[in-house]
Amino acid sequence: NAGVTQTPKFQVLKTGQSMTLQCAQDMNHEYMSWYRQDPGMGLRLIHYSVGAGITDQGEVPNGYNVSRSTTEDFPLRLLSAAPSQTSVYFCASSFTSGITNEQFFGPGTRLTVL
Amino acid sequence: AQSVAQPEDQVNVAEGNPLTVKCTYSVSGNPYLFWYVQYPNRGLQFLLKYITGDNLVKGSYGFEAEFNKSQTSFHLKKPSALVSDSALYFCAVRDWDSGGYQKVTFGIGTKLQVIP
């Protein structure tokens, strides 16, 4: 199994541009989520999904959209990039939405918005 | 609201000495607690979790954690530190939010530096 994969690894955007961060998992996990990691702030939840067709907002959802059309894929869309969205983005998944399950993380996407 | 605190930004320990990385939590219901490790330029990796039962939980790479309900703590420990343990460690708590969905809250992380 490849686990959780993310593309691209690095991205530089100009303010106002849009883009999609890709996330895929091959473990048939129900639960998937997106986090951003900023220095001194740990990981903050952006959006999550408890299954195909079901998504919800996390702690910092503004400026981001998600969809979950398949179990495997959970793309994160930046609608109009802003410098405040410069961060490292991690996708994660777990077997079910049960809260006893640990999460598996992708390698991350480092995004810079100029 | 649930929260996790990691009071130390950095912990330095000599190789071969025991290490402790501290975590305290606040939740309204039963605590479901996790420790993750992040090596440079990598994603987080699961180390161990406490769900119920024995207060001493054993995990990967020789790490263990002690759950203390009265002190609302879940400290990560290892009897003998290795240089390769140097990394960023995150404590996390998982709980249900008011909308019926689960919510995961991470601490800000503690950088562990093991000195040769």
Side-chain angles (χ1 to χ4, degrees), chain A residues 62-75:
Chain A
N62 291 342
Y64 308 95
N65 274 355
V66 292
S67 61
R68 183 98 179 267
S69 57
T70 67
T71 299
E72 294 78 19
D73 300 301
F74 191 45

Side-chain angles (χ1 to χ4, degrees), chain B residues 3-55:
Chain B
S3 65
V4 173
Q6 293 183 245
E8 301 156 316
D9 290 338
Q10 182 160 336
V11 171
N12 297 322
V13 63
E15 186 176 25
N17 282 3
L19 68 88
T20 298
V21 182
K22 296 179 180 177
C23 172
T24 59
Y25 66 90
S26 174
V27 294
S28 56
N30 293 323
Y32 301 101
L33 299 158
F34 300 79
W35 275 103
Y36 291 85
V37 59
Q38 184 181 31
Y39 298 102
N41 300 314
R42 302 284 296 276
L44 278 69
Q45 297 177 30
F46 168 74
L47 276 179
L48 51 79
K49 65 183 176 183
Y50 173 82
I51 305 302
T52 186
D54 196 347
N55 289 343

Side-chain angles (χ1 to χ4, degrees), chain A residues 34-106:
Chain A
W34 276 101
Y35 295 89
R36 58 178 290 172
Q37 183 180 27
D38 301 292
M41 302 192 75
L43 276 77
R44 292 182 291 169
L45 182 64
I46 304 172
H47 285 285
Y48 63 95
S49 170
V50 298
I54 306 171
T55 64
D56 206 346
Q57 297 181 353
E59 182 183 358
V60 288
N62 291 342
Y64 308 95
N65 274 355
V66 292
S67 61
R68 183 98 179 267
S69 57
T70 67
T71 299
E72 294 78 19
D73 300 301
F74 191 45
L76 178 72
R77 281 181 287 276
L78 279 70
L79 308 173
S80 178
S84 61
Q85 293 179 305
T86 294
S87 186
V88 181
Y89 292 85
F90 289 101
C91 179
S93 71
S94 61
F95 183 57
T96 70
S97 57
I99 61 176
T100 63
N101 296 139
E102 63 269 24
Q103 295 186 82
F104 294 78
F105 284 80

